[in-house]
Amino acid sequence: MKTIIEPFRIKMVEPIRLNTPVVRDQILRNAHYNPFLIPAESVLIDLLTDSGTSAMSSEQWAGMLRGDESYAGAKSWFRFESVMRDITGMSHILPTHQGRASERILFELLGGPGKFVPNNTHFDTTRANVEHSGATAVDLVIDAGRNPKGRHPFKGNMDPSKLQGFIADVGAENIPLCMVTVTNNSGGGQPVSLANLREIRRICDAHGIKLYLDACRFAENAYLIKMREPGQQDRTVKEIVRDMFDLADGATISAKKDGLVNIGGVLLMRDDVLAERANNLLILTEGFVTYGGLAGRDLEAMAQGFQEVLDEDYLHYRIRSVEYLGEGLIKAGVPIIEPPGGHAIYIDAGSFLPHIPAEQFPGQALLVALYRHAGIRAVEIGSVMFGRKDPTTGETIRPPMELVRLAIPRRVYTQSHIDYVIEAMTELATTKEQIRGLKIVEAPQVLRHFTAKFAEV
Ligand code: F0G
């Protein structure tokens, strides 16, 4: 069969509302041209993020009712712990309310002034948490990962020679840990190969540096390894996932992605001494070690979700539907990061809108146009999210690409929704010269994309 169907049927529906471009124009003005400030009710198809937006399964909802809400040692905690240990093999499993809470604890322990943390590409909250600790975050993705067109199968890979050069430059004693983000969200949702993880591990070992995964999308990464890495085709995704974690000393995970839940996170580590310190911080701001800022029912939903995400029929459908969107956009002449990665399609807004210079935020301009035209909400991953002033020179630092991410929530939209998105972008492509740039009117110091206000130029 050519058609890869959604491997589930729909038991509950949530209406979405159509409105008109005129109404949406007013909504955009009220939201200061920032998609984070648009009320969700006014969005037809919401591709802002794949985070916390999954539809839960009937088994997850059943788990919600079974949730044991005991303060300490709840049954739901033991179930969650045993599932996570089985999948990852890690000795210490700390529940947190979401990924950035895991990051905050980790970098409070290992970061600090004078320290450096390399990553393939830091996600925004990861970078912000590294920097908040006083440390410096550095991105060392392979050059192919910054070229939107080349079809390298593992554009998320970290560059081993860049890592070696970096260690030589700043000194291994100043690098408490190296992180690898799977899949590489800020670099296009691109996977990292097992071979690359092994190589990075070898380099870290040679210098006594710990290796941590930012493993939010570990199952999608493993499935892409199965599809693309020589010799992995006959292995199960579960085996590949285990290989990935076996190469790491620990991991931060936002369960809002491959955990298939609406809230939750995990911090994993092997080091007993570090884990004790992490548990103390967990108790300080998240909660006791057997619930960590979550309800027992959340732990049940996570335990079930982390198992369901390893279902290869699900992953086949998941990866294929993202690829299908990518193929539709390429056919319409919309430049995207190729090949499509795990959870989203990234439009190369800089090339799509050559008439809008980087200082007028082509990515933000495109997502404003897409919302006005079709009620679709997306997010900018470019100069709005990552552009900032160099603290010493005062010059504006820009990211290598101006991207718009269409992130696909898990198990939420059907193929006809995706067809609608393709149609909307195809129409926009014919009138793209009319899209106008934007300027920032007001913005906070950190993570400005969430609340910045814009005006059209
Ligand atoms: N790391 C990566 C790679 C992420 O993509 C995210 C979140 C986080 C860490 C933080 O997790 O939100 O649970 O605190 N990414 C979302 C996104 C927000 O839209 O890509 P969190």
Side-chain angles (χ1 to χ4, degrees), residues 174-288:
N174 296 318
I175 307 177
L177 78 164
C178 170
M179 277 201 114
V180 177
T181 305
V182 293
T183 55
N184 188 24
N185 184 14
S186 307
Q190 299 290 322
V192 176
S193 71
L194 273 180
N196 184 249
L197 282 176
R198 284 199 193 98
E199 177 67 3
I200 299 305
R201 173 82 225 192
R202 197 187 56 72
I203 297 169
C204 286
D205 279 347
H207 297 276
I209 297 170
K210 290 187 166 70
L211 176 61
Y212 272 67
L213 298 179
D214 178 343
C216 299
R217 299 173 180 89
F218 68 97
E220 290 169 3
N221 196 84
Y223 189 75
L224 289 163
I225 286 176
K226 178 167 172 144
M227 293 294 101
R228 297 180 187 176
E229 188 159 349
Q232 300 299 323
Q233 285 60 48
D234 297 328
R235 306 186 61 219
T236 66
V237 165
K238 195 172 173 196
E239 288 167 335
I240 297 171
V241 163
R242 187 52 184 268
D243 280 2
M244 287 163 47
F245 283 106
D246 281 349
L247 286 163
D249 295 298
T252 54
I253 303 183
S254 165
K256 300 170 74 173
K257 286 81 169 170
D258 276 351
L260 300 175
V261 290
N262 307 118
I263 195 73
V266 200
L267 174 59
L268 302 166
M269 49 182 65
R270 298 186 198 280
D271 183 328
D272 297 338
V273 177
L274 192 68
E276 198 185 318
R277 295 173 58 210
N279 272 328
N280 290 337
L281 287 181
L282 186 76
I283 294 172
L284 197 64
T285 57
E286 288 285 296
F288 186 58

Side-chain angles (χ1 to χ4, degrees), residues 49 98-100 103 123 125 185 214 216-217 254 257 405:
T49 179
Q98 63 183 86
R100 66 197 72 181
E103 293 164 3
F123 181 66
T125 60
N185 184 14
D214 178 343
C216 299
R217 299 173 180 89
S254 165
K257 286 81 169 170
R405 183 184 73 171

